[in-house]
Amino acid sequence: MPAKVYTQKEAKVTAIKKKTLAVIGYGSQGHAHALNLKESGCNVIIGLYKGSKSIKVAKRQGFEVVEVAEATKRADVIMIGVPDMKQAEVYEKEIKPNLSKGKTLLFTHGFAIHFGLIKPPRGVSVIMVAPKGPGHVVRSQFKEGKGVPALIAVLKGSSKDSKATALSWAAGVGAAKAGILETTFKEETETDLFGEQAVLCGGASALVEAGFETLVEAGYAPEMAYFECLHELKLIVDLMIESGIAGMRFSISETAKFGDVTRGPRVINGNVKKSMKSILKEIQSGKFAKEWVKEYEAGLPKYNKLLEDGEKHPIEETGKRLRELMSWIPKKNIKGAQASYS
């Protein structure tokens, strides 16, 4: 059954305009939510740890910045905008001791709630507002008078007005201009993780590297392999986003179409789908979450090793060299960038 889509008719900022809203963390999503809500007429304060590099930035952009505990005490709605693996520590040390009945916790991803890393007390409502785009896009679309679609969810046991609060917050960040869809913490978390692991990040990067390796091992120039297996991927993805898979096929040559429909299923075959189902089961059972928590608590040895190995893959050096020839592609030095509790 298709999800209901809420628009500006049902979702208005009014419900939160008389509340104090706290955004904990001033990273990708945090800064976008805070700025958009402020410009929507809401009272927003920022909660950051003492010494955070983001304090000056948030103050320069017009916010009152206080420590996390103080922000929690003062706010009616508290958005936890720090990375998944840091949320539980921040919650236990700074947020939980300062929560009182009637307050609302807001998440932009369901991981910590769904897998029990955070267990809010009775009397505290828990909602989710998850824009389907990175923070800088949420911000840029808002500034253009547009919006990014968002998902909302309300955890069982929350107050009756929690859905209205979620819709109002989503409207405040601009999502009502695009569409707001209702989901659950379970559905958002499990589908988000599956998409990242099997298709968007894990699946796509592994497919690109395997294609590059196949051509280079067959004696073709790495530059040719890069163009065919990575560079032109954006063209195809853009066509899919604009018109769907059928629309993409309409836009490519008959030769490409025939190769697509006859050879694609040989690459992404039944064995691949079995692997995808296995990955989904690991997500649903909590096995992935436990593995990720254990890895984080151990200091990320496997995580860092795999990332370092990936940076040494020949496709990276080839791509770096070729991108220098493409003046129309923005040059971004994002190596080593990572989310931080800011």
Side-chain angles (χ1 to χ4, degrees), residues 4 28 42-43 51 91 100 103 112 115 136 141 172 175 219 232 256 260 268 278 303 332 337:
K4 177 177 172 56
S28 175
C42 298
N43 177 30
Y91 173 78
S100 55
K103 291 183 182 289
F115 291 117
H136 71 275
Q141 287 296 293
E232 292 190 23
D260 170 355
I268 308 302
S278 176
Y303 169 90
K332 296 180 180 179

Side-chain angles (χ1 to χ4, degrees), residues 16 41 49 99 157 162 173 181 192 272 292 304 317 327 335:
I16 57 172
Y49 68 91
L99 278 178
S162 293
V173 298
L181 289 78
D192 185 78
V272 172
W292 178 214
N304 288 326
E317 182 57 39
S327 59
K335 183 174 179 285

Side-chain angles (χ1 to χ4, degrees), residues 80-310:
I80 302 181
V82 299
D84 289 336
M85 288 298 101
K86 294 189 177 181
Q87 287 184 6
E89 180 183 358
V90 175
Y91 173 78
E92 290 295 331
K93 290 183 177 180
E94 305 292 337
I95 297 174
K96 184 179 177 180
N98 299 291
L99 278 178
S100 55
K101 287 185 177 181
K103 291 183 182 289
T104 297
L105 289 176
L106 185 147
F107 295 82
T108 60
H109 177 40
F111 190 97
I113 290 294
H114 180 55
F115 291 117
L117 277 65
I118 291 177
K119 298 178 180 178
R122 287 185 179 182
V124 172
S125 298
V126 181
I127 63 176
M128 176 171 58
V129 178
K132 299 309 292 178
H136 71 275
V137 176
V138 173
R139 180 62 183 150
S140 64
Q141 287 296 293
F142 183 90
K143 288 167 70 176
E144 292 177 17
K146 303 173 184 176
V148 171
L151 304 178
I152 63 165
V154 177
L155 194 67
K156 186 177 179 181
S158 297
S159 65
K160 292 181 179 179
D161 63 350
S162 293
K163 183 175 176 179
T165 300
L167 284 170
S168 186
W169 186 291
V173 298
K177 295 176 182 177
I180 303 166
L181 289 78
E182 190 169 9
T183 184
T184 64
F185 275 81
K186 171 182 167 63
E187 184 175 58
E188 185 277 337
T189 304
E190 293 178 356
T191 56
D192 185 78
L193 291 174
F194 176 80
E196 291 169 350
Q197 295 172 25
V199 181
L200 305 176
C201 305
S205 57
L207 183 66
V208 167
E209 289 181 353
F212 178 89
E213 291 166 6
T214 299
L215 287 176
V216 172
E217 289 166 8
Y220 297 101
E223 292 80 6
M224 299 302 105
Y226 179 88
F227 279 126
E228 296 304 327
C229 297
L230 192 155
H231 179 73
E232 292 190 23
L233 183 63
K234 183 180 186 305
L235 167 66
I236 300 302
V237 171
D238 284 348
L239 289 171
M240 286 184 181
I241 290 173
E242 291 164 7
S243 309
I245 295 174
M248 176 274 290
R249 287 173 173 161
F250 179 81
S251 301
I252 61 178
S253 71
E254 290 181 338
T255 304
K257 263 190 287 233
F258 183 69
D260 170 355
V261 297
T262 62
R263 268 58 178 179
R266 288 169 57 181
V267 177
I268 308 302
N269 54 29
N271 288 329
V272 172
K273 198 167 180 181
K274 284 181 183 177
S275 295
M276 286 184 168
K277 287 183 177 181
S278 176
I279 287 171
L280 180 57
K281 285 181 180 178
E282 290 177 1
I283 292 168
Q284 293 170 328
S285 69
K287 182 179 179 181
F288 168 77
K290 290 176 183 175
E291 181 183 337
W292 178 214
V293 170
K294 184 178 179 181
E295 173 70 13
Y296 188 85
E297 290 176 345
L300 304 172
K302 181 179 179 182
Y303 169 90
N304 288 326
K305 174 67 165 56
L306 291 173
L307 288 178
E308 288 170 9
D309 289 346

